Amino acid sequence: IKKVKARNLDEMISANSLMRLMPLENGETPTNKFIRFKNDMSLWYKECEDFGLTSQEIKALEVHYLPVSGVPNTQEDMMECMMNPSVSNFTLSEANFARKVVAKKQTDKVGELYDMFIKKGLKSGNSKNILKYVWETCVKPQLGYSFSRPHTCCYSINALQEMNLAYK
């Protein structure tokens, strides 16, 4: 929480949720990535370009990535992104299946989820680049453990109340 320097409840929720996500393949923690992007969002745009995303694909992801400084960190962030027609166009039921795989750590179903995600995305006419990007930056970090938004919100409100009590 000290590192993130949360300025509002949404950033506090992200700070609380980020520490539960899996480290990235390059060894960076999701929290450090969040801080880098929060301080300079042009780094998120560069990451998108490095994955070969078009300006139209980046625009479609902005609604999901910009509010969380480029690091979707709750189960709902993942579900909303997967339901986007410009990504994999999941139905609510399919997105809920993805949430259950993440929430219940159903590692035996990750392959099935990946195949469904790619198949639906390609069927919807979306590029492999955007699908790979969303899988690597939104889904994969949550596979080990992530919170739902209401769950992490309650923890964050409790933390704010405790900090206020300690300060006052």
Side-chain angles (χ1 to χ4, degrees):
I1 291 170
K2 273 186 171 183
K3 288 170 72 175
V4 170
K5 297 180 182 169
R7 302 256 185 242
N8 55 51
L9 182 59
D10 288 334
E11 287 183 4
M12 184 71 165
I13 289 168
S14 286
N16 200 346
S17 186
L18 286 163
M19 65 182 147
R20 286 156 176 82
L21 302 183
M22 294 176 60
L24 309 172
E25 286 187 11
N26 65 4
E28 183 177 35
T29 66
T31 302
N32 287 344
K33 183 177 181 181
F34 177 90
I35 293 165
R36 274 191 314 111
F37 288 174
K38 177 183 167 190
N39 292 332
D40 184 0
M41 277 309 291
S42 71
L43 297 173
W44 176 73
Y45 287 98
K46 179 166 180 353
E47 179 183 76
C48 290
E49 291 169 3
D50 291 345
F51 268 80
L53 301 185
T54 66
S55 58
Q56 184 178 357
E57 290 170 329
I58 294 169
K59 186 89 173 141
L61 292 178
E62 286 177 344
V63 68
H64 305 291
Y65 281 74
L66 293 183
V68 289
S69 297
V71 187
N73 53 70
T74 65
Q75 295 165 8
E76 290 81 5
D77 292 337
M78 178 187 68
M79 291 174 69
E80 290 166 0
C81 195
M82 291 175 135
M83 289 169 44
N84 186 322
S86 297
V87 181
S88 57
N89 202 27
F90 268 26
T91 64
L92 182 58
S93 294
E94 291 165 334
N96 192 47
F97 168 73
R99 182 198 60 77
K100 287 178 182 177
V101 168
V102 167
K104 302 193 183 303
K105 298 183 194 177
Q106 297 175 340
T107 55
D108 59 320
K109 294 186 180 178
V110 171
E112 178 185 351
L113 174 60
Y114 179 79
D115 292 343
M116 181 174 32
F117 176 75
I118 297 298
K119 184 178 178 184
K120 290 240 1 172
L122 293 175
K123 185 178 178 184
S124 297
N126 300 312
S127 75
K128 287 183 180 180
N129 289 346
I130 194 169
L131 296 171
K132 182 179 179 192
Y133 181 76
V134 170
W135 184 265
E136 293 294 321
T137 63
C138 179
V139 180
K140 203 171 180 182
Q142 294 194 35
L143 289 175
Y145 187 63
S146 74
F147 274 163
S148 68
R149 196 175 292 143
H151 187 87
T152 193
C153 183
C154 292
Y155 277 120
S156 300
I157 290 171
N158 285 343
L160 288 172
Q161 290 171 336
E162 289 178 18
M163 289 176 7
N164 187 52
L165 283 171
Y167 180 76
K168 302 278 182 180

